[in-house]
Amino acid sequence: MLDDDEHDAWLLHHRGASWEDIGTEMGCSPTTAQTLATAYEKRTDAAAHTAQNTLF
């Protein structure tokens, strides 16, 4: 399985960890951790939009 820092940051925050704790865990700043999680959300939202069938 590939490392996915974006997913890891998102998942830790989703589970209730603070950005400070996530940054410490991942060895980066809290801002970088939040940026990674945001990138994951954008990536998965775009994938879902692409996979969505047009209704009309």
Side-chain angles (χ1 to χ4, degrees):
M1 185 172 175
L2 296 173
D3 287 338
D4 188 348
D5 290 341
E6 294 174 350
H7 178 256
D8 294 344
W10 177 86
L11 187 59
L12 288 167
H13 191 257
H14 181 73
R15 291 181 176 168
S18 69
W19 293 121
E20 291 78 15
D21 291 342
I22 297 167
T24 299
E25 170 104 9
M26 296 181 73
C28 62
S29 71
T31 302
T32 299
Q34 190 170 11
T35 300
L36 289 168
T38 299
Y40 175 76
E41 288 179 339
K42 286 180 181 178
R43 186 179 79 202
T44 56
D45 286 351
H49 179 73
T50 300
Q52 198 61 263
N53 290 329
T54 303
L55 296 176
F56 302 99

